[in-house]
């Protein structure tokens, strides 16, 4: 009798409910644990928005001021929360306005589900009003996409979308839904997707490769670790730290991996790459075993591949088989989530000491500190520097803030000088380098981690690319701290023009508006600083504020970011001036 009752309950639980496709989409989102999403309404997605209106107690929709703002906000939310970000838009220009953010999410492995409306299925291919083939457009920059033309497809397709976005190496998924599919009815039943035939998100770990990696590490005299965002995505921060400490290995980060290891950890040697730290770049070409963990050997990290780490045995830990040997030839490849592979590796690793090798890093860091870091953070000129602004933010936040940054000099100064005590503290556009990313992404980051301070570091150029998202802050009252480092230039392009184009500043001089008036027009407290004696108190007031706050700092016009690896140069040719 008891067995029959249980079977009867199973059948009753599986009973479907009749509803429209629009309502089904909302029910799918709720079933996937979504309680916050970003978007902008329009004609072909209006049925779904009508359902949002009825579900306000369960689902919070944030109206951004542009679809690009919606996708970047979803990215910021996903980066700090570890959840899937959701963005929604109408067809045509609404959908195409998502493409930059989708591309950004694809390159930076950010889990996003985008839902776009589409004209009725009978109008497809007719060049109807606001019809665009967004599936074809987005195919190269999504992990998966699909167009729903029949209402019955909605539950299964959305379940797959969330599974694909979050599983394995995360990424963006786009689902396009015709308007008739939103209006039509179905017998709704939602079953979460846990497996897709022919899709293997996590490759099988090869224990022999783990053992081979351990053998190389144990024999190494000058081992060096470069870790990336894969450590954060796999929640492998403790495993990374254990490996570093047990084997006494100096380590450095990629841009997106920065907060995986606390900045002040004794073995954290800084950041590699074009504007990374001096010691880890130079000594990449001196180590005997290079251990890459959850990073992809991007060209901004490697410089000239013909001269990159040729003396070293290379071990590559990664979840994505396509990254192995793509840029750098690997001697040992360990596939799988880096948390699982590092857990398998750790018992095989011998305790070790590499004092002389560590001292090489320390000696080179002293050179960088004396020539670059100290002069930037303690300038003798009356002109304010970006580095000293970041340094003061460090002191006020004690390294516990989430630092969002835009792209350009502001990004490099933020990544070089900000302190990160906690993981998931870096929100920036890595592989695509999207100007305008920071302001909307910082909004999403604050909503994804409301208990944490979020400071947005932006240049005057990037700020104006998505300045309209101040309206989102006005409407939501999200307390983001915004710092615009204003040098009245497109700073990074200007630096290249100075160094490689004989100071021909073609189209990089910025004539800016009165930012304070604009920001105050959005109801945000604002202050402008151009003198050193006013800077400390201004930063302290900003961080202490319980509301959103805008601080504009007038910095030196022709300040440069150093060290720098010129394009085409080797990492060991990094320039200090």
């Amino acid at each position: 009798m008891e067995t029959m009752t249980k079977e009867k309950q199973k059948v009753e639980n599986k009973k479907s409910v009749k509803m429209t496709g629009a309502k089904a989409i909302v029910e799918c989102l709720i079933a996937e644990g979504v309680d916050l999403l970003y978007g902008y309404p329009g004609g072909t997605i209006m049925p779904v928005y009508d359902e949002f209106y009825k579900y306000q107690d369960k689902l919070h929709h944030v109206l951004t001021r542009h679809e690009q703002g919606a996708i970047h906000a979803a990215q910021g939310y996903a980066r700090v929360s570890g959840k899937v970000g959701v963005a929604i838009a109408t067809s045509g220009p609404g959908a195409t306005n998502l493409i930059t953010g989708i591309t950004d999410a694809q390159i930076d492995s950010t889990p996003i589900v985008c839902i776009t409306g589409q004209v009725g299925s009978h109008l497809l291919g007719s060049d109807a009003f606001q019809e665009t083939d967004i599936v074809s457009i987005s195919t190269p920059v999504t992990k998966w996409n699909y167009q729903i033309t029949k209402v019955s497809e909605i539950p299964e397709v959305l379940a797959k979308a969330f599974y694909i976005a979050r599983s394995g190496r995360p990424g963006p998924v786009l689902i396009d839904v015709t308007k008739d599919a939103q209006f039509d009815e179905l017998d709704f039943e939602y079953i979460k997707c846990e497996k897709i035939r022919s899709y293997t998100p996590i490759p099988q770990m090869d224990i022999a490769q783990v053992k081979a990696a351990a053998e190389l590490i144990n024999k190494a005299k000058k081992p060096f670790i470069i870790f990336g965002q894969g450590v954060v995505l796999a929640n492998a921060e403790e495993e990374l730290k254990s490996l570093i400490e047990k084997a006494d290995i100096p380590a450095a980060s990629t841009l997106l991996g920065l907060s995986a290891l606390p900045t002040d950890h004794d073995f954290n040697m800084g950041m590699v790459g074009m504007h990374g730290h001096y010691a880890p770049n130079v000594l990449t070409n001196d180590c005997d075993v290079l251990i890459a963990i959850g990073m992809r050997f991007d060209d901004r990290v490697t410089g000239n591949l013909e001269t990159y780490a040729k003396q070293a045995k290379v071990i590559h830990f990664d979840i994505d088989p396509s990254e192995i040997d793509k840029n750098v030839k690997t001697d040992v490849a360990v596939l799988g989530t880096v948390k699982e592979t590092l857990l398998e590796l750790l018992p095989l690793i011998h305790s070790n000491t590499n004092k002389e090798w560590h001292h090489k890093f320390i000696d080179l860091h002293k050179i960088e500190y004396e020539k670059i870091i100290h002069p930037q953070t303690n300038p003798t000129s009356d002109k304010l520097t970006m580095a000293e602004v970041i340094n003061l933010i460090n002191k006020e936040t004690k390294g516990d803030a989430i630092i969002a940054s835009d792209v350009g000099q502001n990004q490099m100064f933020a990544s070089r000088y900000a302190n990160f005590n906690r993981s998931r503290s870096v929100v920036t556009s890595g592989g695509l380098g999207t100007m305008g990313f920071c302001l909307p992404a910082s909004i999403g980051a604050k909503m994804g981690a409301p208990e944490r301070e979020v400071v947005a570091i932006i240049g005057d150029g990037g700020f104006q690319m998505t300045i309209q998202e101040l309206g989102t802050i006005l409407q939501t009252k999200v307390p983001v701290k915004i710092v615009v480092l204003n040098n009245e230039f497109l700073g990074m392009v200007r630096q290249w023009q100075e160094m490689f184009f004989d100071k021909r500043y073609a189209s990089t001089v910025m004539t800016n508006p009165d930012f304070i008036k604009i920001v105050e027009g959005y109801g945000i407290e604002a202050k402008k600083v151009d003198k050193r004696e006013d800077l400390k108190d201004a930063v302290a007031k900003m961080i202490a504020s319980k509301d959103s706050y805008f601080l504009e700092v007038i910095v030196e016009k022709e300040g440069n970011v150093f060290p720098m690896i010129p394009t085409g140069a080797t990492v060991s040719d990094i320039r200090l001036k």
Side-chain angles (χ1 to χ4, degrees), residues 275-276 368 372 413 416-417 495 499 560-564 575-577:
H275 291 289
E368 181 181 357
I372 295 174
F413 275 107
R416 282 180 48 79
Y417 291 94
Q495 178 172 336
M499 296 176 68
N560 290 331
V561 189
F562 283 105
M564 180 179 181
R575 292 168 56 170
L576 291 170
K577 60 181 181 179

Side-chain angles (χ1 to χ4, degrees), residues 467-538:
I467 195 170
Q468 73 279 348
E469 296 310 324
L470 293 172
T472 306
I473 294 176
L474 170 66
Q475 188 159 351
T476 61
K477 307 300 180 188
V478 60
V480 174
K481 310 300 168 61
I482 306 161
V483 181
V484 165
L485 302 174
N486 185 355
N487 56 12
E488 297 183 334
F489 267 111
L490 296 177
M492 187 61 83
V493 184
R494 185 215 57 78
Q495 178 172 336
W496 281 54
Q497 289 172 334
E498 175 187 336
M499 296 176 68
F500 308 117
F501 294 89
D502 296 325
K503 292 191 174 182
R504 291 188 295 276
Y505 296 155
S507 301
T508 48
V509 178
M510 299 287 288
T511 300
N512 292 319
D514 186 331
F515 290 134
I516 301 301
K517 284 184 179 179
I518 292 172
V519 173
E520 287 179 340
Y522 283 97
I524 298 168
E525 188 174 356
K527 185 174 180 60
K528 181 177 181 177
V529 172
D530 58 6
K531 292 183 176 61
R532 185 163 289 114
E533 57 265 30
D534 300 328
L535 183 60
K536 184 178 179 182
D537 288 345

Side-chain angles (χ1 to χ4, degrees), residues 179-376:
K179 197 167 184 178
D180 51 316
Q182 297 172 51
F183 276 125
D184 290 346
E185 290 191 335
L186 78 160
D187 292 321
F188 179 78
E189 178 188 354
Y190 194 74
I191 302 170
K192 279 195 177 185
C193 180
E194 296 179 354
K195 186 178 181 181
I196 299 173
R197 190 174 63 180
S198 79
Y199 170 56
T200 308
I202 302 173
Q204 183 71 37
M205 188 194 318
D206 185 340
I207 301 301
Q209 292 294 89
V210 177
K211 290 177 179 178
E215 186 176 353
L216 279 178
I217 294 169
N218 288 333
K219 288 179 179 178
K221 302 298 182 186
K222 296 188 289 185
F224 178 43
I225 287 174
I226 300 177
F227 59 92
Q229 188 188 201
V231 173
V232 177
L233 295 174
N235 300 310
E237 296 89 345
E238 286 304 314
E239 289 74 18
L240 171 69
K241 186 180 171 189
S242 296
L243 173 61
I244 287 168
E245 292 175 351
K246 184 176 184 181
D248 200 46
I249 304 175
S253 172
T254 65
L255 174 63
L256 295 185
L258 274 170
S259 65
L261 185 71
T263 303
D264 61 359
H265 191 284
D266 287 343
F267 296 173
N268 191 338
M269 302 303 165
M271 183 176 73
V272 292
M274 180 173 280
H275 291 289
H277 291 88
Y278 188 54
N281 274 306
V282 169
L283 295 176
T284 296
N285 278 2
D286 192 26
C287 67
D288 59 358
V289 176
L290 179 60
I291 307 147
I293 304 176
M295 55 85 74
R296 60 187 181 87
F297 289 113
D298 172 72
D299 64 295
R300 286 295 172 104
V301 166
T302 65
N304 187 345
L305 284 169
E306 296 300 318
T307 55
Y308 183 78
K310 292 299 180 184
Q311 79 295 336
K313 294 290 186 182
V314 178
I315 304 169
H316 195 171
F317 290 81
D318 209 281
I319 197 170
D320 186 352
S322 71
E323 292 296 344
I324 305 300
D325 295 332
K326 185 173 84 176
N327 295 322
V328 173
K329 179 65 179 173
T330 301
D331 293 280
V332 177
V334 184
L335 290 171
T337 67
V338 294
K339 188 178 186 74
E340 292 176 357
T341 53
L342 290 181
L343 281 171
E344 198 71 35
L345 176 77
L346 279 167
L348 306 176
I349 294 297
H350 302 159
S351 295
N352 204 351
T353 55
N354 297 296
K355 285 185 180 179
E356 287 185 18
W357 178 229
H358 275 280
H359 276 298
K360 282 194 173 187
F361 285 87
I362 293 166
D363 291 343
L364 289 178
H365 176 74
K366 285 178 182 176
I367 294 172
E368 181 181 357
Y369 183 82
E370 290 168 6
K371 291 190 175 183
I372 295 174
I373 297 172
H374 187 266
Q376 281 287 336

Side-chain angles (χ1 to χ4, degrees), residues 544-557:
S545 174
K546 300 298 182 186
D547 302 313
S548 54
Y549 195 99
F550 177 85
L551 177 62
E552 178 186 4
V553 183
I554 307 301
V555 296
E556 57 182 339
K557 282 195 172 189

Side-chain angles (χ1 to χ4, degrees), residues 7-34:
E7 289 300 319
K8 186 180 178 184
Q9 279 181 338
K10 264 187 190 177
V11 172
E12 287 178 352
N13 288 341
K14 283 191 173 183
K15 276 185 179 176
S16 56
V17 179
K18 202 163 220 33
M19 63 179 68
T20 66
K23 184 174 182 179
I25 289 171
V26 178
E27 288 287 350
C28 291
L29 293 174
I30 292 169
E32 287 292 343
V34 176

Side-chain angles (χ1 to χ4, degrees), residues 36-290:
L36 178 67
L37 73 161
Y38 303 86
Y40 204 95
T44 63
I45 199 67
M46 208 175 294
V48 174
Y49 271 84
D50 188 54
E51 293 299 329
F52 286 159
Y53 186 82
K54 303 168 189 175
Y55 279 79
Q56 293 177 62
D57 59 330
K58 292 182 179 179
L59 197 59
H60 178 44
H61 174 271
V62 176
L63 174 65
T64 57
R65 295 306 185 262
H66 192 284
E67 291 88 357
Q68 185 177 349
I71 183 71
H72 289 331
Q75 287 177 271
Y77 173 85
R79 290 274 192 90
V80 303
S81 70
K83 300 177 182 177
V84 177
V86 179
I88 188 163
T90 194
S91 61
T96 58
N97 282 341
L98 294 175
I99 290 296
T100 295
I102 291 171
T103 309
D104 198 290
Q106 175 80 335
I107 296 176
D108 285 353
S109 304
T110 306
I112 301 289
V113 169
C114 296
I115 299 171
T116 54
Q118 185 54 274
V119 300
S121 55
H122 67 290
L123 292 172
L124 291 173
S126 71
D127 290 335
F129 177 67
Q130 291 193 334
E131 182 199 357
T132 300
D133 185 357
I134 195 62
V135 171
S136 294
I137 290 170
S138 64
T139 294
V141 294
T142 48
K143 193 175 175 186
W144 182 60
N145 65 15
Y146 188 86
Q147 184 176 77
I148 293 175
T149 58
K150 296 178 181 177
V151 66
S152 58
E153 298 177 300
I154 288 173
E156 183 181 358
V157 169
L158 280 175
K160 284 183 178 179
F162 277 90
Y163 175 67
I164 291 170
R166 69 164 65 95
S167 60
R169 181 178 181 175
V173 171
L174 182 140
I175 304 302
D176 194 43
V177 191
T178 60
K179 197 167 184 178
D180 51 316
Q182 297 172 51
F183 276 125
D184 290 346
E185 290 191 335
L186 78 160
D187 292 321
F188 179 78
E189 178 188 354
Y190 194 74
I191 302 170
K192 279 195 177 185
C193 180
E194 296 179 354
K195 186 178 181 181
I196 299 173
R197 190 174 63 180
S198 79
Y199 170 56
T200 308
I202 302 173
Q204 183 71 37
M205 188 194 318
D206 185 340
I207 301 301
Q209 292 294 89
V210 177
K211 290 177 179 178
E215 186 176 353
L216 279 178
I217 294 169
N218 288 333
K219 288 179 179 178
K221 302 298 182 186
K222 296 188 289 185
F224 178 43
I225 287 174
I226 300 177
F227 59 92
Q229 188 188 201
V231 173
V232 177
L233 295 174
N235 300 310
E237 296 89 345
E238 286 304 314
E239 289 74 18
L240 171 69
K241 186 180 171 189
S242 296
L243 173 61
I244 287 168
E245 292 175 351
K246 184 176 184 181
D248 200 46
I249 304 175
S253 172
T254 65
L255 174 63
L256 295 185
L258 274 170
S259 65
L261 185 71
T263 303
D264 61 359
H265 191 284
D266 287 343
F267 296 173
N268 191 338
M269 302 303 165
M271 183 176 73
V272 292
M274 180 173 280
H275 291 289
H277 291 88
Y278 188 54
N281 274 306
V282 169
L283 295 176
T284 296
N285 278 2
D286 192 26
C287 67
D288 59 358
V289 176
L290 179 60

